[in-house]
Amino acid sequence: MSHKILEITEPTPVPPVEERGNIPDIRKAGLDPDFWYPLARSKDVKAGKAHAVTFAGDPIVLVRSKEAGLFAVEDRCAHRQVPLSVGVVEDGGIRCGYHGWKFDCTGSCTSVPYLDKCTLHPNSIRSYPCRERYGLIFVFPGDAAKAETVPFPEMPAAEDPKYKVRTLDRRIGCHYSFMHENLMDMNHQFLHRRLMGSIKTLFLGKREGPNWVEVDYSFYRKGGKQSLGEKVMIGRSGAAKEIKDKEAAEAEGKKTRDIMTIRTEYPYQTLKFWTAGSTTPALDLWNLYFPVDREQRINQTYGLMCIQRPPIPFLMDILWPAIIWFTNGIFNEDKWICELEQAAFDAQGEDWNHEIFPAIRSVRRVITDNGILIDPSWKGSKSSPEHVRARHEA
Amino acid sequence: MSHKILEITEPTPVPPVEERGNIPDIRKAGLDPDFWYPLARSKDVKAGKAHAVTFAGDPIVLVRSKEAGLFAVEDRCAHRQVPLSVGVVEDGGIRCGYHGWKFDCTGSCTSVPYLDKCTLHPNSIRSYPCRERYGLIFVFPGDAAKAETVPFPEMPAAEDPKYKVRTLDRRIGCHYSFMHENLMDMNHQFLHRRLMGSIKTLFLGKREGPNWVEVDYSFYRKGGKQSLGEKVMIGRSGAAKEIKDKEAAEAEGKKTRDIMTIRTEYPYQTLKFWTAGSTTPALDLWNLYFPVDREQRINQTYGLMCIQRPPIPFLMDILWPAIIWFTNGIFNEDKWICELEQAAFDAQGEDWNHEIFPAIRSVRRVITDNGILIDPSWKGSKSSPEHVRARHEA
Amino acid sequence: MSHKILEITEPTPVPPVEERGNIPDIRKAGLDPDFWYPLARSKDVKAGKAHAVTFAGDPIVLVRSKEAGLFAVEDRCAHRQVPLSVGVVEDGGIRCGYHGWKFDCTGSCTSVPYLDKCTLHPNSIRSYPCRERYGLIFVFPGDAAKAETVPFPEMPAAEDPKYKVRTLDRRIGCHYSFMHENLMDMNHQFLHRRLMGSIKTLFLGKREGPNWVEVDYSFYRKGGKQSLGEKVMIGRSGAAKEIKDKEAAEAEGKKTRDIMTIRTEYPYQTLKFWTAGSTTPALDLWNLYFPVDREQRINQTYGLMCIQRPPIPFLMDILWPAIIWFTNGIFNEDKWICELEQAAFDAQGEDWNHEIFPAIRSVRRVITDNGILIDPSWKGSKSSPEHVRARHEA
């Protein structure tokens, strides 16, 4: 950890803004679809069943078939546009529940029961690259040609037995950018004063690059009591330690003490918390927020909250309910305030935020530089040009 | 029946498309108001009471008065625009419930209680031709001058004691065209596989004209069991007969077997089912789907389902609950899928259907050729020009 | 009272229409914010607490602090736009519940906890003149510079022990203009026929000026029974007296009998009822209807219904439940019909009302002459230009 702290006073210079899109307002920044996104939990897609999801309004059906394994295709029948997810999984494909057209795992139409010799082309639908890991189902909703080269998110702690993992799964009625800002700005612990007591946040510095920003914090307690859940997650010695004198605390914080590092690396966000002297984080959190609807005013979070197991076996398992209670309380307050932010944006019609904190200014830049313009006139799925042509020539 | 079957191979040539309107999308085709439409059941309009309905967003009040009988006028007071249907039926007219203005069965304002000598013209509202038959109340919502010459729908079976009649009355959240397509395409029996078992549909041919299309089908059972309700409605010998060999079935079907004929004759739709050798249909269904709302995304069905009584008296009455159960199950599945179609249309913003079945292509042509453009800017009732003028000069 | 009656035949000539705004439709007339408006009841704002209201969509928080007393500021944090009303009242100001920014009673930002030396300007928000009287909290939502000179509404009866006061507090889903028209047109007693019996309204005359209109009525009962609540409010001898002969009644009414005077003096409305021969009104009602939402399709009424106490002490208190029951019944019918009027307007898209009653024509003129255009593109609070500039330069 120590080398990171040294870098704080010399942040990476911000490179010139990429001309990725001309996004006038952060809340109108669409999430770039050319990444691997977790769109469901593994347990949501039962064997032999279909599960409907949407990514930025695009309907996608996840299918777990015996013959073809897990696959993802557009959730609409090429015939009458009803969702395939209400149909029948059959022989490595899915059959529409209305007139029985069948599509395989590549989206090709392979059977129309009442049509024996017709050319089934171009009745196909789009398919999506799809992978399963960490108990999550990842889909690549953008240009499938890029799926192989775009890095798949690595989260070692989620597969490390030294950690116990809580999978986060929650839907919040706001643009995903509010989520990044919420977590990145640790000054918002004021929001959680009832659950966490009075915490003083120390901003230690930031580093950044074209598609990322990373911020270090330390904390000291000004008052109130640490909850049991927090104590289990990050230990008693860290943020919990009461330091009444602020300057002493700042000196401490900058030296060697507990450190929290929050990083938005587009489109993901991570939070790591190291207690003083440890070389592995006590808490290692990975989050992804994706837009559910076309207007991108609703987001779904899937996250992996990895908590280092204490030396005493089963202690964490016994204390798990306290962790659940504490984190749910925090999440509910965040959901409440982020939905109020979205409501204010909807009423004001444009982003009026008056941001003065450098860390948040950077995260905003990362989101607008790397996002794409939401196209409000865009309707329907991101079909390839051939599909669109076929549809209109039909 | 046999002559019809012969015609199949020589369908009526489709005449050149009438330039009735320039309708770019079937889901934007408004229903032509110049027909007789059932807008309520007789029992919905009690003696001395008013009943509110809407046709494509136009508010209409149906009134059953002792003095003037049944009549239909605009459901708005000329004064303050509140619905007359919340007022009081009185002396062959209806009095507004707010300030007490009164209108007679022609829509003329005949009394303003606090205004003794004012000229009541032009405070009148529109009236509609109105007739009662088959237990339904029919209104002519279009140009009243055409009401006498436009044919009133004839449904002999509904008045024939050899048939028992079920009146259909259901509201579905979709454009009325989905209803025509749903019934016309018998391949959608796949949707009803849980209720009907596995039925193979044989398309025997179609005939068509400028404002109609008629399609013949036969069926054979591939698996599953026939329900009791279906058995009562169409007999055991028909679609219920299991024929495992498909070519044999097709040969059979084309020869003499049970026949179903579905006909859209704008704006109505009928279905007749003849068991082999009979000269009268076992099932004779008449349906009308009208738009309730201005955007025509919700439709109301009124239908007459006439089922031939079996030779044993009262047998059908005893078995009626099974018929109700079976038909309600079918209806609910149709409602579910048609509302999914509308939802897909709403998301896609235009009709993406990729229709390959000739019968449905024809029914789509009939609907767009005979419809009128929905005018999204149109507000309020189809008042005659004089009414509109009076309103604006006021 | 008698001098007023004499004036009836000589109404004040209507002056030329002021060019206050070019309002094409009364339902699109925005309420002029340059008046004192009751936005809450005193009891709604507890000590040390904040209370959120909106005026025409502008969010305003009312705060009752120990140090600074009652004050009103914009209900949004200058930082992230969330409502301050969900924050914490503290030391004569209010602290945002998210990151803890604090604003004083003038709207100036006085503290950002994690920012020690930054210039806090221009992070301030707007404040509003605010006064408390009659158990109501009044705010001046327009140009604060005018607050001192614009007259504060005077309602002596509300502070006169000879009267018992009921504070009215109700929200109705319609443009506020429907409320003025509803009360002003006493012919709408037909609406209340079930509660009041059959009342004949006599229009005695009107007087008017640029921003006001005043109308006198008398009544006689044609049938039905007077309710107990009405009897307590206005006495038995008044409107309750049964006069079967209409001409006699009119003669009576014009002479000396009970008189009701309804006055819209922009933006307020009053109703006074004098029983024959009395010099003080038996019923003295003051009402204000303000728009809650930006589109001004919802209004909130705060009113003071002052009823003269009878000579027998406590009699009114004993009969109070009957008054509550009667007035609530009347209010509910008015709410029902006014919301139907708004629904008709929404469907028709413009005002189609065909008004023939001179009193209502005048009240409509007062509302459009004195209103301002609703700006549908307007988003957010009526910040002063400096605020807007600061926001965009940030």
Side-chain angles (χ1 to χ4, degrees), chain C residues 120-261:
Chain C
L120 294 169
H121 182 79
N123 299 332
S124 59
I125 51 171
R126 187 177 179 197
S127 69
Y128 295 89
C130 182
R131 292 186 200 171
E132 193 164 13
R133 199 163 160 196
Y134 314 124
L136 298 172
I137 295 173
F138 288 77
V139 169
F140 196 92
D143 179 359
K146 298 182 184 167
E148 287 305 311
T149 51
V150 169
F152 192 86
E154 291 302 324
M155 179 52 179
E159 294 171 330
D160 181 342
K162 287 200 298 291
Y163 288 88
K164 186 168 169 70
V165 182
R166 183 181 183 198
T167 303
L168 307 180
D169 173 358
R170 50 186 176 138
R171 186 158 294 199
I172 298 189
C174 72
H175 189 256
Y176 61 89
S177 60
F178 290 112
M179 307 299 294
H180 281 270
E181 292 178 272
N182 170 270
L183 187 64
M184 185 62 87
D185 191 343
M186 272 295 133
N187 298 302
H188 93 274
Q189 297 210 348
F190 184 70
L191 172 69
H192 304 305
R193 61 200 178 276
R194 292 173 208 86
L195 287 162
M196 302 182 77
S198 179
I199 303 273
K200 177 68 188 178
T201 301
L202 298 175
F203 168 58
L204 302 181
K206 64 167 179 165
R207 297 165 293 280
E208 59 190 312
N211 68 334
W212 63 277
V213 59
E214 193 174 77
V215 179
D216 293 324
Y217 293 101
S218 190
F219 305 93
Y220 66 98
R221 177 169 300 278
K222 289 166 69 187
K225 279 191 63 178
Q226 189 185 27
S227 80
L228 179 60
E230 186 187 336
K231 215 173 285 181
V232 179
M233 286 169 69
I234 57 173
R236 184 193 299 266
S237 60
K241 186 172 177 187
E242 289 194 33
I243 304 179
K244 298 289 183 193
D245 180 271
K246 189 186 152 193
E247 280 178 27
E250 279 185 14
E252 285 252 318
K254 281 191 178 142
K255 243 180 0 198
T256 64
R257 306 289 311 174
D258 304 350
I259 297 288
M260 179 180 285
T261 300

Side-chain angles (χ1 to χ4, degrees), chain B residues 252-322:
Chain B
E252 285 252 317
K254 281 190 176 144
K255 244 179 3 198
T256 63
R257 305 290 312 178
D258 304 351
I259 298 287
M260 178 181 284
T261 300
I262 305 171
R263 179 182 175 98
T264 287
E265 180 169 337
Y266 194 89
Y268 313 108
Q269 190 171 43
T270 58
L271 179 154
K272 289 177 204 284
F273 185 86
W274 288 268
T275 52
S278 71
T279 53
T280 51
L283 173 66
D284 197 343
L285 172 69
W286 178 92
N287 269 351
L288 184 282
Y289 325 104
F290 72 89
V292 170
D293 56 325
R294 180 83 54 219
E295 296 75 22
Q296 309 207 8
R297 290 184 181 184
I298 301 167
N299 80 81
Q300 169 75 33
T301 297
Y302 286 111
L304 300 163
M305 187 174 77
C306 307
I307 305 169
Q308 205 168 18
R309 293 176 181 277
I312 306 164
F314 309 116
L315 178 61
M316 175 161 291
D317 304 281
I318 291 162
L319 296 171
W320 198 243

Side-chain angles (χ1 to χ4, degrees), chain A residues 7-27:
Chain A
E7 284 171 24
I8 292 170
T9 50
E10 302 289 349
T12 309
V14 181
V17 172
E18 284 183 64
E19 294 288 282
R20 284 210 47 130
N22 185 18
I23 297 172
D25 192 311
I26 184 171
R27 310 311 169 201

Side-chain angles (χ1 to χ4, degrees), chain A residues 74 76 78-83 86-88 90 95-101 112-116 118 120-123 294 378-381 383 390-392 394, chain B residues 27 178 181-182 185 187-194 200-201 246 250 334 336-338 340-341 344-350 352-357 360-361 364:
Chain A
E74 265 188 279
R76 63 168 188 95
H79 178 211
R80 295 193 64 86
Q81 315 302 321
V82 294
V86 303
V88 180
E90 192 185 300
R95 189 178 287 283
C96 178
Y98 197 175
H99 300 86
W101 290 31
V112 173
Y114 50 93
L115 209 80
D116 291 327
C118 91
L120 295 169
H121 182 83
N123 300 333
R294 181 82 54 219
W378 174 248
K379 297 274 191 178
S381 77
S383 301
R391 184 189 307 137
H392 287 288
Chain B
R27 310 308 170 203
F178 290 111
E181 293 178 270
N182 171 268
D185 191 343
N187 299 301
H188 94 274
Q189 297 210 347
F190 184 70
L191 173 68
H192 304 305
R193 60 198 178 276
R194 292 174 207 85
K200 176 70 189 177
T201 301
K246 188 187 156 194
E250 280 186 13
D334 286 335
W336 174 69
I337 204 78
C338 287
L340 286 175
E341 287 193 281
F345 173 82
D346 289 343
Q348 294 167 353
E350 57 182 355
W352 284 11
N353 279 17
H354 186 67
E355 193 51 72
I356 54 177
F357 184 39
I360 301 306
R361 289 195 177 225
R364 291 164 67 90

